[in-house]
Amino acid sequence: MIETLDNLNVRIRNQMQDYHPVILKTLTLKENLISLIESVSSAFPQRSLKVSFDCPDTLFVAEPYDLLMYRLIKELLTNIYKHSDGTLAWITVSSEKDTVNLSVCDNGSGNPLNEKFETNSPLWHKGIFSIKEQISDLNGIMSISDNSPHGVRIDISFLMKGDVSYQYFVS
């Protein structure tokens, strides 16, 4: 019974982390994202995937956009581990003034021109569809393209609205 409760406790904590990730205030956002990438990678020990992460040390993303960035990277990297046959993945994060840019790509054999990458239907991959909706709600841009010569590239860009970025924490 104790073992079952311990297992349930671990599963509940993992679910909580999925819904509201803990971003440690003692670490920079870049350090938190590196930790996330290592965590996702360790969840797929059977996969030989090298992940390159490019992010300025001084990256600043205001709350709650930092949580969104965390969730986006987690979902997109997990998708690469689950669905790509590639051996390399690249994640690039940057911000310019009030714009946040994220690029995630791999060198797999996926073809974004294939109908399975059609993002206009909720029947399509739920994670990517959810990301598209979230970015659209922010009046952001998400594009899925060919990562020439092989693989898929997802580029996301959205504005941080300083005047409303903390509205979710006020009430």
Side-chain angles (χ1 to χ4, degrees):
M1 194 161 67
I2 291 175
E3 183 179 334
T4 300
L5 289 173
D6 285 342
N7 288 338
L8 285 172
N9 187 31
V10 168
R11 291 165 89 189
I12 290 169
R13 286 178 186 231
N14 287 339
Q15 287 288 355
M16 289 171 53
Q17 179 68 8
D18 284 344
Y19 291 117
H20 195 294
V22 175
I23 296 181
L24 299 176
K25 301 297 181 196
T26 57
L27 300 176
T28 65
L29 180 56
K30 180 179 181 177
E31 291 168 331
N32 276 289
L33 294 176
I34 289 170
S35 178
L36 166 67
I37 292 166
E38 291 169 353
S39 173
V40 171
S41 297
S42 69
F44 297 91
Q46 73 283 8
R47 281 296 315 271
S48 178
L49 181 71
K50 182 178 179 345
V51 180
S52 172
F53 180 59
D54 184 22
C55 173
D57 291 334
T58 58
L59 177 72
F60 172 75
V61 178
E63 294 179 11
Y65 301 101
D66 57 345
L67 291 174
L68 175 63
M69 179 64 58
Y70 192 95
R71 287 185 189 128
L72 293 173
I73 291 173
K74 182 175 184 177
E75 176 65 25
L76 294 172
L77 183 57
T78 298
N79 280 351
I80 291 173
Y81 272 101
K82 285 183 175 179
H83 305 295
S84 172
D85 59 358
T87 57
L88 299 171
W90 298 270
I91 300 170
T92 304
V93 180
S94 65
S95 64
E96 299 170 27
K97 296 184 182 179
D98 57 353
T99 302
V100 177
N101 300 299
L102 170 64
S103 176
V104 178
C105 43
D106 67 62
N107 69 341
S109 61
N111 179 355
L113 301 177
N114 185 320
E115 66 277 354
K116 81 175 190 173
F117 283 95
E118 176 58 47
T119 60
N120 294 327
S121 167
L123 299 176
W124 190 69
H125 190 279
K126 291 177 184 171
I128 298 292
F129 187 77
S130 174
I131 289 172
K132 183 179 180 186
E133 280 188 332
Q134 290 175 0
I135 298 304
S136 178
D137 288 346
L138 292 173
N139 295 316
I141 300 167
M142 175 178 158
S143 66
I144 300 175
S145 60
D146 185 35
N147 187 42
S148 191
H150 300 288
V152 175
R153 177 185 186 96
I154 298 178
D155 290 301
I156 295 172
S157 180
F158 59 88
L159 292 176
M160 290 185 287
K161 299 176 184 167
D163 57 333
V164 295
S165 64
Y166 290 96
Q167 77 181 24
Y168 302 105
F169 299 99
V170 173
S171 62

